[in-house]
Amino acid sequence: MAGRKPESIEVNIKWFHWVREKVSRSIRSLGIEAGGSPYHDRNIRQALKPDEKNPEVCRMTPRMIDALAKTMEVDPDYLAGKYLWTLKLPIMDEGDVREYWLENCLDPKWHKYLHHEQDGIGVYKHLHDTLLMHGVDQKAYKELTSRERWGLMRDLDRMTTKIIRHYLHQGNLIEDVEYRQSMDWQTEDDVIDTLLPHLEDLGLVKLEPWEPDDMPDPFADKYKDIPLAE
């Protein structure tokens, strides 16, 4: 409909500037390079004006936040403030946990624009195509429990990463993928699980020694010559 305002996304202003400074970008540089989009620095400054109802946030079109995120090489949802809820959890008030979480887990290097593009491909479609290519029908897949489905996706992803890394010599591929899988925080428990090593260092928790389970590794023989690490 003519004259209809475009859909907008809520962006936390303070967080936006925090990320921008972490990746060493100025508003001016963003206006010059914003993903090839026609956004000048004055357009960006205008968009960053506080919302009348909530001065902590502003409103941006999906196209603008995507262009700015691409220029900063970070995930658009991350740039908008997807994980700000984690900073409000009680655990963040313990010791230096909040500072540790910000400087490590919320560092822009772990929230890349590339990940946003990968998510757009569609994990389920990729799995479906893989099963189909190997002669597995959807009925067999749907008969698996939810835990088995998750395990199947996890193992396929890990072994694919392992093989690609071996042949294409992508040294940081395993680290990036595994960290990304672990940081899909949905609940407070997810956040605490990620923080456990640091919480142990602070003396706030005590972890039991890890013991391997008795489950055999189905890939051990077939891929035993492919190193997990250099």
Side-chain angles (χ1 to χ4, degrees), residues 132-211:
L132 184 62
M133 188 166 61
H134 288 82
V136 180
D137 60 33
Q138 284 296 294
K139 181 180 179 182
Y141 172 74
K142 290 179 179 178
E143 288 176 350
L144 298 176
T145 65
S146 59
R147 186 177 184 84
E148 288 172 332
R149 293 181 191 179
W150 180 85
L152 173 61
M153 293 180 67
R154 177 201 60 197
D155 289 342
L156 279 174
D157 187 43
R158 286 182 176 176
M159 292 315 303
T160 301
T161 299
K162 194 173 183 180
I163 295 168
I164 291 173
R165 181 177 182 272
H166 173 71
Y167 285 102
L168 298 181
H169 310 294
Q170 298 293 303
N172 64 338
L173 194 56
I174 290 284
E175 181 185 8
D176 285 352
V177 171
E178 290 189 345
Y179 190 90
R180 185 187 172 208
Q181 290 173 337
S182 70
M183 74 180 190
D184 187 21
W185 309 294
Q186 302 293 328
T187 66
E188 182 177 6
D189 286 343
D190 294 337
V191 173
I192 292 176
D193 283 345
T194 302
L195 283 169
L196 280 178
H198 186 62
L199 296 178
E200 184 179 37
D201 289 342
L202 293 176
L204 296 175
V205 299
K206 184 176 181 180
L207 301 180
E208 296 297 327
W210 178 82
E211 295 182 2

Side-chain angles (χ1 to χ4, degrees), residues 18-212:
W18 185 86
V19 175
R20 178 181 61 76
E21 291 171 2
K22 289 290 285 185
V23 298
S24 302
R25 301 306 299 259
S26 66
I27 295 293
R28 181 175 176 80
S29 71
L30 292 177
I32 294 173
E33 302 176 23
S37 299
Y39 298 120
H40 301 292
D41 57 321
R42 64 177 180 275
N43 302 127
I44 300 171
R45 294 181 194 280
Q46 180 67 28
L48 285 168
K49 285 187 175 181
D51 183 80
E52 292 182 1
K53 296 181 179 178
N54 184 358
E56 292 185 358
V57 303
C58 63
R59 313 290 305 191
M60 289 189 184
T61 64
R63 184 185 178 196
M64 174 177 273
I65 193 67
D66 185 85
L68 296 176
K70 187 174 184 179
T71 303
M72 287 190 255
E73 299 182 0
V74 297
D75 181 277
D77 291 336
Y78 162 80
L79 180 59
K82 176 180 179 180
Y83 296 118
L84 283 178
W85 65 271
T86 64
L87 293 170
K88 299 176 182 178
L89 296 174
I91 191 64
M92 295 298 162
D93 295 326
E94 300 289 344
D96 68 345
V97 172
R98 178 174 282 101
E99 291 74 15
Y100 175 87
W101 184 255
L102 270 169
E103 295 303 322
N104 292 274
C105 303
L106 294 187
D107 191 295
K109 71 178 181 180
W110 298 116
H111 304 270
K112 301 177 181 177
Y113 190 83
L114 173 64
H115 299 163
H116 168 66
E117 294 180 304
Q118 290 171 332
D119 288 341
I121 295 173
V123 174
Y124 178 77
K125 183 179 185 304
H126 175 67
L127 174 63
H128 171 75
D129 291 344
T130 301
L131 296 177
L132 184 62
M133 188 166 61
H134 288 82
V136 180
D137 60 33
Q138 284 296 294
K139 181 180 179 182
Y141 172 74
K142 290 179 179 178
E143 288 176 350
L144 298 176
T145 65
S146 59
R147 186 177 184 84
E148 288 172 332
R149 293 181 191 179
W150 180 85
L152 173 61
M153 293 180 67
R154 177 201 60 197
D155 289 342
L156 279 174
D157 187 43
R158 286 182 176 176
M159 292 315 303
T160 301
T161 299
K162 194 173 183 180
I163 295 168
I164 291 173
R165 181 177 182 272
H166 173 71
Y167 285 102
L168 298 181
H169 310 294
Q170 298 293 303
N172 64 338
L173 194 56
I174 290 284
E175 181 185 8
D176 285 352
V177 171
E178 290 189 345
Y179 190 90
R180 185 187 172 208
Q181 290 173 337
S182 70
M183 74 180 190
D184 187 21
W185 309 294
Q186 302 293 328
T187 66
E188 182 177 6
D189 286 343
D190 294 337
V191 173
I192 292 176
D193 283 345
T194 302
L195 283 169
L196 280 178
H198 186 62
L199 296 178
E200 184 179 37
D201 289 342
L202 293 176
L204 296 175
V205 299
K206 184 176 181 180
L207 301 180
E208 296 297 327
W210 178 82
E211 295 182 2

